[in-house]
Amino acid sequence: MLVERNSTTCDHPQAHVVNTRSMEIFRSLGLDSEIRRHALPMGTSHVRWVTDLAGRQLAALNLAPPPKEIVLRMAQSPAPQASCAQDRIEPLLANLAAKGPGRVEFSTEMVDLETAPDGVTVKLRHGGKERVVHADWVVACDGAASPTRSLLGIAMEGPEALAHVVGIYFHADLSEFASARPAILYWTIDTEAPGTLIAIDGKERWVFHAAWDVERLSLESYTKEQCKRILRRAIGADVDFDIRSVRPWTMAAQVAERYRAGRVLLAGDAAHRFPPTGGFGMNTGLQDVHNLAWKLAAVIEGKAGSVLLDSYESERLPVGRGNCDWSARNAAGLDKVIGPGAAHEAQRLADGAVSFEVLSAQIQEIADREVGHFSALGRDLGFSYETGALVPDSSQPPEREDPDRDYIPNARPGARAPHHGFVKEGKILSTLDLFDGQWTLLAGAAETEHWRSAAAAQGLPIAFVGVGVDVEDPSGGFASLYGIDAGAVLVRPDGHVAWRCRDGVDDPGATLRHALAKILGNP
């Protein structure tokens, strides 16, 4: 059962960056094409600093990778990142959930819960009436303010208010200004309307995130008329627009001290709150539940011990902390040229304390220095679990000059199993198309039958792929990429490597069984 206190999916764009790993997950659900249909056109690749949308440009970054890097990225993933807002993604997920075995209940609020060793008693309210539900497990995805987290007494670590922002979602035809300087983001350097203008679809959907001075202005002061004045100032022209919603939010850099309290687990914003600089908030939450879902299923179906769920925290909490720290560093790096810092720089310009040319050069220098947080494939695909539901094989992670930007594909246990192109029955497919939702064992042609028999002899379904037998390997690079000779690689249902045996063994079935017992906590 999924309960949502709102009456429908979100109607405010909110997050919009869908990174490569999340697009791979959506590909496995068959949603990637729909997401791209709603996304900003892929050719839009700039971020810009402007006095206002119709005014002068002070600095810009072109985020489009050079041709050589495009080829490299295509070799690393079949699912490049997209800019698609949350209000378009959520209905796709809700429709998919509605087709599943469970049920989705909107306008239903969790008002209390009590945990016990054998389950959780949850009090729900719908239409003024309350009822009690007894659940084996609860996953709290109830947002940054998370009532569940508060009831459990789980503290958040880190600063809770780096900045305050008011998001204004509106429809307008801004092509007169944006077509000459297309961009994903426009940061306004202005004394009265410093903020971020986000192109949601490249056509009529826009969001302006206005810096909010909570010491000087109350939320009530952001009336529709005041928001219109802010938008006119940020656009720099008196154009027709339709304000759809106004939402305040607080920029924080916090992670929950723990992700599990008995039979209740935290995920998404309930577990972590990041600055948006880098676009990892929604993506980290998606990947939290992708990690958690197969583990819950294994425990509920009796294929694993409940100790397997301890690996959710040991794997995802370090990722949450790392992404939080990185996002906060990004925000600090841009502090002088976004939000209140942008207003300060605009005032210097207005006072004649700095010339337009000098300020432009200063902002461009900062933008060039911070370009890495717009292109973080190493953090996107290169994160790896060091402990958890895996069996280490003593291999070391690849050395990277810049771990945030540089991704080096590898199949050491804990890593995302790398993309590699196969051919089956004349059709091209990725290794990634083999993994989601099931255990997968891969081995080379010479040892196929030994490992196929080993997979079939286990106590849970394992899909087996003999490379060179079940699928063709046109490049011949699979064994080298995955680091095996006569051995095999076991990939988890979430696409991460659980175990790797580099060479052949005398008893593949017993070897695999021993590895699974360690991974699942089910001797």
Side-chain angles (χ1 to χ4, degrees):
M1 174 194 287
L2 186 153
V3 299
E4 165 59 55
R5 70 177 180 178
N6 293 313
S7 60
T8 184
T9 53
C10 72
D11 57 3
H12 191 85
Q14 296 179 213
H16 69 99
V17 175
V18 188
N19 69 17
T20 302
R21 184 60 189 138
S22 293
M23 284 302 292
E24 290 176 351
I25 295 170
F26 287 138
R27 172 187 168 101
S28 73
L29 297 173
L31 297 179
D32 55 326
S33 295
E34 272 295 289
I35 286 173
R36 293 204 186 281
R37 189 172 70 81
H38 290 291
L40 195 65
M42 288 188 70
T44 310
S45 58
H46 283 75
V47 295
R48 303 181 190 274
W49 282 261
V50 295
T51 55
D52 52 59
L53 185 63
R56 301 173 73 184
Q57 176 174 292
L58 292 112
L61 290 173
N62 183 2
L63 306 179
K68 285 185 178 179
E69 190 171 332
I70 292 175
V71 173
L72 177 62
R73 290 191 182 188
M74 289 175 64
Q76 292 170 338
S77 177
Q81 75 172 39
S83 178
C84 182
Q86 190 172 334
D87 65 334
R88 292 295 184 263
I89 293 174
E90 282 195 11
L92 299 176
L93 291 170
N95 289 339
L96 199 63
K99 297 174 184 176
R103 64 184 187 270
V104 179
E105 296 191 16
F106 287 101
S107 302
T108 304
E109 183 179 6
M110 187 283 295
V111 292
D112 197 11
L113 85 167
E114 293 183 11
T115 62
D118 60 345
V120 188
T121 301
V122 186
K123 184 183 291 184
L124 302 175
R125 181 185 295 133
H126 174 83
K129 296 181 179 180
E130 293 185 352
R131 76 183 197 272
V132 171
V133 170
H134 298 282
D136 291 329
W137 301 92
V138 168
V139 184
C141 309
D142 49 348
S146 185
T148 309
R149 188 185 65 228
S150 298
L151 285 170
L152 295 171
I154 298 176
M156 297 292 277
E157 299 174 339
E160 63 178 355
L162 297 174
H164 298 277
V165 182
V166 173
I168 308 169
Y169 168 40
F170 66 101
H171 286 193
D173 179 5
L174 303 182
S175 56
E176 176 186 352
F177 316 109
S179 59
R181 294 194 305 238
I184 305 168
L185 306 173
Y186 301 85
W187 272 293
T188 53
I189 305 296
D190 184 70
T191 54
E192 296 182 28
T196 314
L197 183 64
I198 304 175
I200 299 298
D201 64 357
K203 299 173 185 175
E204 67 168 6
R205 285 171 23 95
W206 302 83
V207 172
F208 185 70
H209 290 297
W212 172 22
D213 184 349
V214 294
E215 300 295 327
R216 193 169 59 88
L217 295 171
S218 67
L219 183 60
E220 289 71 28
S221 66
Y222 284 89
T223 62
K224 208 156 199 177
E225 286 306 312
Q226 174 63 5
C227 289
K228 286 180 179 179
R229 284 192 287 271
I230 292 171
L231 291 180
R232 290 191 186 101
R233 179 85 180 194
I235 296 167
D238 189 8
V239 300
D240 292 331
F241 52 80
D242 175 19
I243 295 178
R244 295 301 183 93
S245 56
V246 179
R247 303 282 169 83
W249 58 278
T250 300
M251 184 190 299
Q254 292 187 307
V255 180
E257 61 182 354
R258 52 197 170 100
Y259 282 12
R260 180 182 179 186
R263 288 178 171 262
V264 183
L265 303 109
L266 306 181
D269 286 358
H272 41 67
R273 305 167 63 195
F274 308 158
T277 37
F280 268 72
M282 177 176 70
N283 293 290
T284 307
L286 284 165
Q287 292 157 36
D288 286 342
V289 293
H290 193 237
N291 177 288
L292 177 58
W294 72 267
K295 295 175 180 177
L296 267 174
V299 172
I300 291 167
E301 294 168 3
K303 296 172 181 174
S306 61
V307 68
L308 175 64
L309 293 174
D310 291 338
S311 71
Y312 169 63
E313 180 177 301
S314 65
E315 291 179 354
R316 294 305 300 172
L317 183 54
V319 172
R321 286 172 174 161
N323 287 348
C324 183
D325 291 346
W326 179 76
S327 301
R329 288 198 304 272
N330 293 338
L334 290 173
D335 188 52
K336 287 189 67 175
V337 292
I338 61 175
H344 175 75
E345 295 304 308
Q347 191 63 57
R348 289 176 63 216
L349 183 62
D351 294 342
V354 63
S355 69
F356 184 90
E357 292 73 20
V358 169
L359 180 59
S360 177
Q362 290 173 348
I363 294 175
Q364 189 65 58
E365 181 182 358
I366 293 171
D368 290 340
R369 186 185 70 218
E370 297 298 323
V371 68
H373 87 250
F374 297 102
S375 180
L377 199 63
R379 183 165 288 277
D380 183 348
L381 298 182
F383 71 92
S384 183
Y385 306 133
E386 296 302 317
T387 61
L390 56 97
V391 181
D393 67 357
S394 75
S395 62
Q396 297 300 309
E399 292 187 11
R400 295 175 286 173
E401 185 176 343
D402 185 339
D404 294 322
R405 299 189 68 176
D406 302 335
Y407 169 61
I408 299 176
N410 71 97
R412 67 189 292 266
R416 157 199 170 267
H419 159 66
H420 184 71
F422 290 146
V423 173
K424 184 175 183 179
E425 298 174 353
K427 294 182 180 179
I428 298 173
L429 74 156
S430 166
T431 47
L432 307 182
D433 300 326
L434 306 172
F435 302 146
D436 198 79
Q438 63 182 357
W439 290 90
T440 308
L441 187 70
L442 301 98
E447 299 294 324
T448 284
E449 295 314 313
H450 296 298
W451 288 110
R452 192 189 304 277
S453 298
Q458 304 308 314
L460 74 166
I462 299 176
F464 178 79
V465 180
V467 179
V469 178
D470 302 312
V471 295
E472 301 172 41
D473 180 14
S475 71
F478 166 76
S480 175
L481 176 62
Y482 273 66
I484 60 171
D485 185 9
V489 172
L490 180 66
V491 180
R492 307 184 329 189
D494 63 354
H496 281 255
V497 176
W499 167 80
R500 177 172 61 175
C501 178
R502 293 177 177 275
D503 300 307
V505 293
D506 293 335
D507 190 340
T511 303
L512 181 58
R513 190 175 306 113
H514 181 66
L516 280 167
K518 284 187 175 181
I519 295 162
L520 296 174
N522 187 9

